[in-house]
Amino acid sequence: MPKTHAHPYIPNTTPETKRGMMQQIGIKAIDELYSDVPQKLRLKRKLNLPKAMSEQEVKKHVEALLSKNTSTRDMPTFLGAGCWPHYVPAAVDNIMQRSELLTSYTPYQPEISQGMLQALFEYQSMICELTAMDAANSSMYDWASALGEAVRMAVRVNNRTEAIVPKLIHPERLATLQTYVEPLKMHIRKAEYNRETGLINIENLKQLVSNKTAAVYIENPSYLGFIESQVNEIAEITHDRRALFIVGVDPTSLGILKPPGDYDADIAIGEGQPLGNHLNYGGPLLGLFACKGETELIRQMPGRVIGMTTTLKGDKTGFCMALQTREQHIRRERATSNICTNEALCAVASTVYLALLGPDGLRELGETIMTRSQYAMHKLNQMAGVKAPLFSSAHFKEFTVNFDKTGKKVHTIHEALLKQHKIHGGKDISKEFPELGQTSLYCITETHSRNEIDRLAKSLKAVLGRKR
Amino acid sequence: MYRQAQWNEPVIFKLGGKGRRGCTLPTVDDDVGKLVGNVADTLPKSIRRSQRPRLPELSEVEVVRHFTRLSQMNYGVDSGFYPLGSCTMKYNPKINDLLAGATGLSELHPDQSEETVQGILEILYTLSQWLAEITGTDEVCLQPSAGAHGELLGALLMRACHKRNGDSDKRTELIVPDSAHGTNPASGTMAGFKIVVVPSNSNGTVDLKALKAAVSEKTAGLMLTNPNTLGIFEEDIAEIADIIHEAGGLLYYDGANLNAIMGKTRPGDMGYDVVHINIHKTFGTPHGGGGPGAGPIGVCKELAKFLPVPQIAYDTKRKRYHLDYNRPESVGKVRGFYGSVAVLLRAFAYILSMGAEGLEEAAEISVLNANYLVKKLSEIRGFELPYAKGRPRKHECVFSVKPMSKETGVRAADVAKRLLDYGLHSPTTYFPLVVEEALMIEPTESIEKEELDRFVEALRQISDEAYSDPNLVKNAPYNAAITRLDEVKASHPKTMALSWRMHQNRNVIKAAASKV
Ligand SMILES: Cc1ncc(COP(=O)(O)O)c(C=O)c1O
C-alpha cells in the first residue's frame, strides 16, 4: 500500500511539501543531495531493523518487555552499593516533566534559558551547603567518573604522581579511577584498614603519604556503610604533605554527618542519585563535584559552572555559564576536562528534592535511614552464625552481613531468599573482598518498612535453618 | 513578537519561612525507636554535623510554583524551533518519555540478579545490535554517558590497541581537523595523546596533502565527523581511511552528525574503526538542559576485546541475557554500572517507531530542510555561505555574517540575540572555528516548512534592522526573560559568585543583590 500520510515526527514528508521544497532548491530527487557520497560507500540495502510500529504498538511492545522485569516495587530489595532506592516525591517527577526544562539544550543563550540557569545555580548552591564547600559544578556523569576527574584535577594543581584510596573502596569506582588516570601513568596506592573497625589504618596512611601524593581519597560513608570518623587526622596527614584531600559522600547522610568542608577537604564528590532520582537500572546517575573557594582550585575544576551576574545595564541579577575558558569548547586540548553533555536535569531533580525536604527534612531522612538500618542490623545479628555488621564502627544506610559461621555461601542463601521468599537480598561481595569471607552488603533506606525488615529476618532464618 | 515570561523569581534561598516543609517522611515505630535509641547520638563527635545546612524551608506549593516559574523562563524544543547546529535538537516523541518512566525500568536496581531483569537486558542487547547495524560496526558498548565520554573511551581503546601491539610509546599523536568540536581534542588529551591539528582545504574538507604530511609512525589515529561540522560530506573519506590505516593509525567517527546519513551510508563501511553515537541528538531523546545523554560506541572486531565490562550478552543455549564480565583485555570501567539506561530505552522506543524506512526518511528530510535553508538564507543581505558553494550540505549549514558585520557592526552574536525576540532559538555561533562570524544552522527533520519560512523571514528582518538601525540588533534581546548579561562579570575573580554561599560571603554583586 502506498503511503498516504507523513510520519508523525517528520511533517515535511507529504508529497506536495517535499515536491515544493525540492523545486525551490532545484533538484528532482532527494538523492541528488547525496550525490557527493561515493557510490561504493552507499548502503545499497535497507537497514536490517524491525518494521516501524505505531505508537500503540510501541507502547505495548516495550511494556511487555519491561513487564519481564521484577522491580524493587514488586519485591522487597536490599540492594544499594552505589545506587540506592529512595522515595521520589511526586512533585519532583512532576517538575521533571516540564517540557521547557526537559527538552532544552545546554544554556548557550542565557537570556532565554534563565530558568535552567537559575535552577542549576540553586543546585550548585545547595550542594555547597550540604558539603560545606564554596563552589560546585552543575554535574558530572556519576560518582565514579567524578572521582576520576577529581584525581586528575589534583594532579593539575600539584603535578604529582600518586593517589591514595582506601582498600575498601567501591570496586567500580576504583576501576573507573584507574581508567581515568592510566594515561597519566599514575600510581594508585591502597591504604590498609583496621580489621576491627574497617576504618583507615592511620599508621599505614602515614607511611603511604609522601611528597609524590597528589591526593588522598576517602569515602564517607564508606562503600561498606561504616562511617570514617578519623577525618581530622586524615586531613592533617594529607595536608602535612601538601596533598589534596578528596572526600566522596552519599548526600543523604549530610543532614547528620559532618560535611567534608568542615574537616578541611579540598574537593567533595559523590553520588546525587539518591536525591530525587530513580534507580533506572543504574543510569543516568548524577556526579556531585564541589571544591573550596580558592581560585587555583576553582580554575582547575572540571565541568560546567553557572554563575550569578547582572545584566549589562546593571539593573537586574541573572545567571549565565561562568569560567568557560576552562572548558573544551574554548580551551580545546588544554581544557580541564572533556565533559560537555552532563546530567543537568538530574541535578534539577536533586534541587527540587532538597527544596522539598529542607534542612530538617534532610536531618530526619538521615536519622530515619540510620534508625531503620540499625534495627535491621540488630535483627540479623541475633541470628545464629550471622554477624551484622562485620565492623564495629557506626554505620549509615548500608552494612555488611557475614555468613561464615552458618557454613553456607552467600550465593546460595540469596538464591533461596529470592526463589522461595521473593526477597532480593543484598549484594554478594565475597568475590570483591575475599578476605571478608562469605559477606554481603545490605542496604536499608526510608523506603524499607519495618514489615519488610521483619520479613527479611524471618525468611533468612528459614533459609539458614534448612539443612542442605 | 514573542514575549518570554519574566517572573523576577527570587533565588530559592530567599523564599519560604522557618518550619515550613514540602515533604514528610514515614515515622519510625515507637518500639523500633526504643530498641535502637537515638542513633545520631551514637555517631562519634568528630563526625557529627553541628550546624544545619542552610537549605531553604518551603511548603510543597512554594516549591512547585518556584520551579514552574523557572521553567516558564526557559526555552526548549517543545517551545519552538531550535536550530542549534551540530547539537541536533529535534523533537522528542512523548511516548519515549512515558515508557522511560515506567516502574519496570525506573525502580530496577542495577545489581539485581539477572533472572529478574531479563526484560531490560533484552532491550539493551537489542538496542546495541541495532546501533551496530546503523553504524556498520561489529560490536556496540552502551556505557558512555555522553558523546564526549564515548570519545574518551574510544581514544582509550585506540591506546589499548597500540599498547597491545607494543606501539603505545611510539604512537603518541592524535590528529583532529581544525573544524572539529572542542571535545575531540579535549578527549584525545585526556587519553594521553598529543593533538595534531590539520587544516581544512578551500572546500571545507580535510586537506589531504596536509593530512599526508601530518601522519607518521607517531600517529595513533584521526578523529573526524562525517558529514563534518560545515555540513559537508568528506568525499575523500575512503582515501583518508587508507592514509590513516597505512600509517598504522585508527579512524574515529564523531557521531554528532549521524542524523544526516542514517540508512544512506555507514561509518563502519567508510573505514572507521570506532564510532560514538550521541543518543540525545539522533535518537529522539530529550537533552534535559544539559543532560543526561548517552554516548554508546561501536567498534570493529579488533577493538572489541578492549571494551569496558560488562557487555550485555545473550546465551542462545540457555535463552538468557546476561552481563558478561569475561573480557581479560578490557580497559576496565569508565563509569559505574552499565550506562544511561533511561536514555537508552527512549532510543529503543524511537527506533521501533521509525523502523529502517523512518530513519532513512529522517536523514533525507533533515538534509532537504538544510538545503532549503541554504537556498533561502543565501538571498539575505549580509549573509554568505563560505566553502564549496553549489555543493549540497547535509543536515546542517554554516553561514557567515562577516559582510554584515563589516558593513553594519552587527555581529553573529547580535543576530543570535535578536532571534530570541522573534521566539526562535539561535543557531550555534562562532563554531566551527574555521568560519568567521559563524552561524551554524541545523533544522532537523522535525520542523515543518512553514516554520522554516518563519525562521528565514525573521533573519531577513534582522538583516534589514542591521542595515537600518544596527543598535536595535546590538542591544537585543528585549523580549526574553532578561536583557543581555554581563558574562565577564560572572567569570571575573573579583565578582565571581558560583554559589549562594559564595555570593553571600563576598557579597560581590552588591548593586543588584537587592533586586534578586
Ligand atoms: C560535533 C560534536 N562532537 C561531540 C560532541 C560532544 O557530545 P556530548 O555533548 O554528548 O558529550 C558534540 C556535542 O555538543 C558535538 O556537536
Side-chain angles (χ1 to χ4, degrees):
Chain A
M1 227 173 26
K3 259 196 353 196
T4 53
H5 54 79
H7 190 284
Y9 314 153
I10 322 177
N12 291 347
T13 39
T14 55
E16 310 89 89
T17 310
K18 221 160 131 174
R19 211 178 313 120
M21 289 175 74
M22 291 200 299
Q23 219 162 33
Q24 300 239 16
I25 304 173
I27 56 168
K28 293 214 172 55
I30 300 267
D31 203 48
E32 290 176 44
L33 298 175
Y34 286 93
S35 57
D36 50 356
V37 179
Q39 276 302 329
K40 63 168 187 180
L41 300 182
R42 298 278 191 103
L43 187 66
K44 297 189 185 73
R45 57 170 177 85
K46 291 278 166 227
L47 286 168
N48 181 16
L49 297 172
K51 229 173 116 254
M53 288 180 186
S54 68
E55 181 173 314
Q56 291 183 38
E57 291 163 318
V58 171
K59 185 160 184 281
K60 214 168 170 178
H61 182 74
V62 176
E63 280 173 352
L65 284 169
L66 289 177
S67 74
K68 292 189 192 173
N69 301 321
T70 311
S71 85
T72 59
R73 294 268 175 87
D74 306 320
M75 61 177 166
T77 304
F78 299 93
L79 286 164
C83 189
W84 299 276
H86 287 280
Y87 182 70
V88 177
V92 175
D93 279 336
N94 182 267
I95 301 286
M96 287 312 98
Q97 280 154 25
R98 295 288 308 186
S99 76
E100 303 93 327
L101 300 175
L102 177 65
T103 73
S104 60
Y105 196 67
T106 304
Y108 287 133
Q109 298 295 338
E111 296 83 0
I112 208 162
S113 315
Q114 281 300 294
M116 197 72 199
L117 284 160
Q118 182 170 335
L120 290 174
F121 176 81
E122 292 174 355
Y123 162 78
Q124 290 172 189
S125 301
M126 288 189 191
I127 296 307
C128 287
E129 292 304 328
L130 290 195
T131 56
M133 291 284 170
D134 301 299
N137 72 19
S138 68
S139 77
M140 306 296 284
Y141 303 137
D142 69 341
W143 183 344
S145 60
L147 171 59
E149 295 266 20
V151 171
R152 290 188 70 111
M153 170 168 156
V155 173
R156 285 194 296 279
V157 171
N158 58 28
N159 212 356
R160 296 181 176 184
T161 53
E162 291 183 358
I164 297 167
V165 302
K167 194 167 182 197
L168 296 177
I169 185 178
H170 190 315
E172 288 203 334
R173 292 200 275 268
L174 175 62
T176 306
L177 170 63
Q178 280 166 333
T179 313
Y180 266 74
V181 301
E182 190 271 339
L184 299 177
K185 301 207 163 58
M186 277 187 81
H187 193 50
I188 306 286
R189 294 167 160 258
K190 291 186 195 164
E192 279 297 333
Y193 60 95
N194 179 309
R195 303 281 143 161
E196 173 64 25
T197 60
L199 304 182
I200 300 259
N201 179 328
I202 291 290
E203 284 316 307
N204 181 243
L205 182 70
K206 277 185 189 158
Q207 284 164 13
L208 291 178
V209 182
S210 73
N211 50 17
K212 284 189 199 156
T213 311
V216 172
Y217 169 68
I218 64 162
E219 302 189 331
N220 213 3
S222 65
Y223 172 50
L224 301 183
F226 57 81
I227 293 161
E228 178 54 74
S229 51
Q230 316 165 107
V231 287
N232 297 321
E233 291 96 311
I234 297 171
E236 208 177 302
I237 295 166
T238 305
H239 288 145
D240 272 352
R241 294 298 186 120
R242 295 174 179 280
L244 293 189
F245 185 23
I246 306 171
V247 178
V249 294
D250 170 349
T252 58
S253 70
L254 290 176
I256 53 174
L257 285 199
K258 187 179 268 190
D262 282 2
Y263 49 89
D264 212 16
D266 301 287
I267 303 172
I269 58 170
E271 180 52 61
Q273 173 271 328
L275 305 174
N277 288 287
H278 293 272
L279 292 169
N280 286 325
Y281 199 53
L285 297 171
L286 166 61
L288 310 178
F289 200 110
C291 73
K292 280 183 185 165
E294 290 154 22
T295 317
E296 64 269 35
L297 289 178
I298 290 175
R299 292 231 165 254
Q300 293 303 334
M301 196 154 67
R304 197 169 291 141
V305 188
I306 310 304
M308 192 190 248
T309 185
T310 65
T311 53
L312 281 174
K313 280 188 252 166
D315 62 336
K316 267 189 185 167
T317 300
F319 303 88
C320 65
M321 298 205 275
L323 298 168
Q324 290 187 65
T325 46
R326 300 165 302 119
E327 288 190 65
Q328 38 68 34
H329 64 280
I330 304 224
R331 247 304 161 94
R332 299 179 77 82
E333 67 268 23
R334 293 191 311 283
T336 51
S337 161
N338 70 338
I339 191 169
C340 180
T341 289
N342 57 16
E343 310 292 317
L345 194 72
C346 303
V348 177
S350 295
T351 318
V352 179
Y353 181 83
L354 287 169
L356 289 168
L357 257 68
D360 292 335
L362 191 73
R363 179 180 41 80
E364 263 176 44
L365 176 70
E367 285 171 357
T368 306
I369 291 170
M370 213 169 151
T371 305
R372 292 187 176 207
S373 47
Q374 288 288 331
Y375 175 70
M377 282 184 269
H378 175 82
K379 291 283 281 197
L380 299 191
N381 201 39
Q382 283 179 329
M383 267 174 239
V386 175
K387 191 164 179 353
L390 205 46
F391 300 111
S392 61
S393 305
H395 283 66
F396 179 82
K397 196 190 274 191
E398 286 176 279
F399 55 90
T400 37
V401 184
N402 178 275
F403 295 103
D404 280 350
K405 295 222 168 97
T406 67
K408 291 191 160 145
K409 300 259 185 253
V410 181
H411 172 73
T412 8
I413 296 167
H414 281 187
E415 194 159 289
L417 264 187
L418 187 61
K419 295 255 160 73
Q420 286 143 32
H421 299 271
K422 302 275 172 286
I423 289 179
H424 208 301
K427 183 183 181 194
D428 182 354
I429 57 165
S430 60
K431 291 209 179 70
E432 292 176 0
F433 297 105
E435 77 239 47
L436 302 181
Q438 286 304 311
T439 296
S440 60
L441 182 64
Y442 274 66
C443 167
I444 305 279
T445 71
E446 83 286 2
T447 63
H448 294 96
S449 68
R450 182 192 180 171
N451 274 346
E452 278 177 348
I453 297 170
D454 289 346
R455 194 177 138 194
L456 166 70
K458 220 169 124 196
S459 306
L460 252 184
K461 204 174 217 161
V463 167
L464 293 175
R466 276 167 44 122
K467 296 230 164 56
R468 252 233 255 177
Chain B
M1 268 218 166
Y2 170 78
R3 201 162 283 283
Q4 191 178 29
Q6 299 181 2
W7 281 105
N8 258 340
E9 185 65 15
V11 170
I12 198 162
F13 298 92
K14 293 201 156 190
L15 296 172
K18 215 175 156 19
R20 283 186 211 162
R21 276 284 280 281
C23 177
T24 52
L25 292 159
T27 44
V28 174
D29 288 351
D30 282 346
D31 49 342
V32 169
K34 252 183 230 141
L35 186 71
V36 298
N38 188 349
V39 286
D41 291 347
T42 66
L43 287 173
K45 256 231 158 73
S46 64
I47 196 69
R48 231 180 284 170
R49 184 153 200 147
S50 52
Q51 271 185 324
R52 318 193 303 167
R54 286 173 300 177
L55 295 174
E57 296 177 69
L58 307 162
S59 55
E60 180 175 323
V61 57
E62 291 172 278
V63 173
V64 169
R65 285 189 179 151
H66 175 69
F67 287 99
T68 299
R69 287 179 181 143
L70 289 187
S71 74
Q72 289 172 333
M73 290 196 286
N74 212 63
Y75 191 91
V77 170
D78 287 359
S79 321
F81 188 28
Y82 223 121
L84 211 47
S86 244
C87 298
T88 312
M89 291 296 283
K90 59 196 214 184
Y91 175 70
N92 320 121
K94 298 305 164 202
I95 183 68
N96 304 352
D97 297 336
L98 188 90
L99 292 168
T103 48
L105 169 63
S106 66
E107 304 309 325
L108 281 190
H109 191 282
D111 286 324
Q112 279 186 221
S113 106
E114 282 165 3
E115 64 199 78
T116 64
V117 291
Q118 285 296 303
I120 191 67
L121 289 178
E122 182 174 344
I123 288 173
L124 295 174
Y125 179 82
T126 310
L127 176 66
S128 68
Q129 303 280 308
W130 291 348
L131 295 175
E133 165 69 2
I134 293 166
T135 55
T137 51
D138 293 318
E139 189 168 344
V140 163
C141 164
L142 298 174
Q143 291 195 32
S145 312
H149 205 206
E151 291 170 22
L152 173 63
L153 175 57
L156 288 168
L157 295 180
M158 296 192 210
R159 193 179 149 86
C161 180
H162 293 312
K163 194 170 181 178
R164 173 69 206 270
N165 298 338
D167 246 7
S168 61
D169 290 340
K170 202 173 81 185
R171 300 209 172 265
T172 51
E173 294 181 352
L174 198 62
I175 304 173
V176 296
D178 54 1
S179 63
H181 193 260
T183 51
N184 291 186
S187 303
T189 308
M190 271 179 90
F193 294 113
K194 184 174 167 274
I195 302 303
V196 175
V197 179
V198 290
S200 308
N201 60 24
S202 58
N203 270 331
T205 52
V206 171
D207 187 329
L208 287 186
K209 246 204 228 132
L211 182 65
K212 280 180 192 151
V215 295
S216 70
E217 71 280 3
K218 288 190 191 157
T219 302
L222 167 71
M223 288 179 121
L224 178 66
T225 181
N226 196 15
N228 64 24
T229 52
L230 292 164
I232 297 171
F233 193 84
E234 301 272 354
E235 287 184 280
D236 301 325
I237 186 62
E239 197 177 342
I240 292 173
D242 285 345
I243 294 171
I244 295 301
H245 290 149
E246 270 159 32
L250 293 156
L251 190 56
Y252 183 97
Y253 184 85
D254 174 339
N257 299 337
L258 187 69
N259 203 55
I261 56 164
M262 291 182 292
K264 296 287 180 195
T265 174
R266 309 188 301 174
D269 300 342
M270 295 180 213
Y272 283 96
D273 305 290
V274 203
V275 178
H276 86 245
I277 304 146
N278 299 72
I279 290 293
H280 43 290
K281 297 178 200 271
T282 309
F283 293 96
T285 81
H287 199 277
I297 66 168
V299 295
C300 63
K301 276 207 185 68
E302 206 188 341
L303 291 174
K305 54 175 172 287
F306 306 114
L307 287 174
V309 282
Q311 276 292 92
I312 296 155
Y314 182 62
D315 183 337
T316 38
K317 265 202 215 109
R318 294 165 67 205
K319 295 203 163 55
R320 249 182 63 147
Y321 295 90
H322 63 105
L323 298 166
D324 180 9
Y325 281 87
N326 184 16
R327 210 161 275 242
E329 294 187 71
S330 163
V331 294
K333 298 281 298 170
V334 287
R335 58 161 285 155
F337 309 110
Y338 332 116
S340 287
V341 181
V343 178
L344 296 166
L345 177 101
R346 286 175 166 97
F348 179 79
Y350 181 73
I351 296 174
L352 277 180
S353 37
M354 299 296 276
E357 249 173 65
L359 290 182
E360 192 174 344
E361 208 163 27
E364 287 182 351
I365 302 294
S366 76
V367 172
L368 177 70
N369 288 354
N371 284 281
Y372 181 75
L373 286 182
V374 166
K375 173 81 184 7
K376 296 277 171 179
L377 298 178
S378 299
E379 294 160 5
I380 295 180
R381 186 174 175 197
F383 278 55
E384 88 184 346
L385 182 73
Y387 295 110
K389 279 185 197 53
R391 250 183 88 163
R393 293 308 190 256
K394 288 292 163 290
H395 61 304
E396 65 194 5
C397 55
V398 181
F399 274 87
S400 169
V401 293
K402 196 171 135 200
M404 173 190 289
S405 153
K406 270 200 178 144
E407 287 153 22
T408 68
V410 169
R411 303 190 56 197
D414 304 317
V415 175
K417 298 295 183 207
R418 184 60 177 149
L419 260 176
L420 307 180
D421 286 334
Y422 286 81
L424 299 158
H425 199 276
S426 342
T428 301
T429 52
Y430 303 102
F431 179 75
L433 306 178
V434 293
V435 176
E436 277 179 75
E437 297 299 326
L439 289 177
M440 181 188 207
I441 302 163
E442 178 174 7
T444 81
E445 71 281 5
S446 62
I447 299 300
E448 75 278 17
K449 176 179 175 292
E450 295 74 12
E451 182 73 354
L452 293 176
D453 289 337
R454 269 192 291 276
F455 176 64
V456 172
E457 192 44 38
L459 283 173
R460 190 191 317 278
Q461 283 186 34
I462 293 170
S463 163
D464 288 349
E465 290 168 358
Y467 283 95
S468 58
D469 183 5
N471 279 334
L472 175 72
V473 185
K474 283 193 203 168
N475 293 322
Y478 308 92
N479 300 339
I482 201 161
T483 57
R484 242 186 248 201
L485 288 157
D486 189 340
E487 300 190 31
V488 175
K489 196 184 266 175
S491 301
H492 194 281
K494 285 215 174 108
T495 43
M496 188 163 64
L498 308 179
S499 65
W500 186 242
R501 155 191 291 252
M502 200 166 170
H503 167 70
Q504 284 188 313
N505 289 351
R506 302 162 71 177
N507 203 8
V508 280
I509 307 178
K510 283 199 196 85
S514 57
K515 297 204 175 71
V516 172

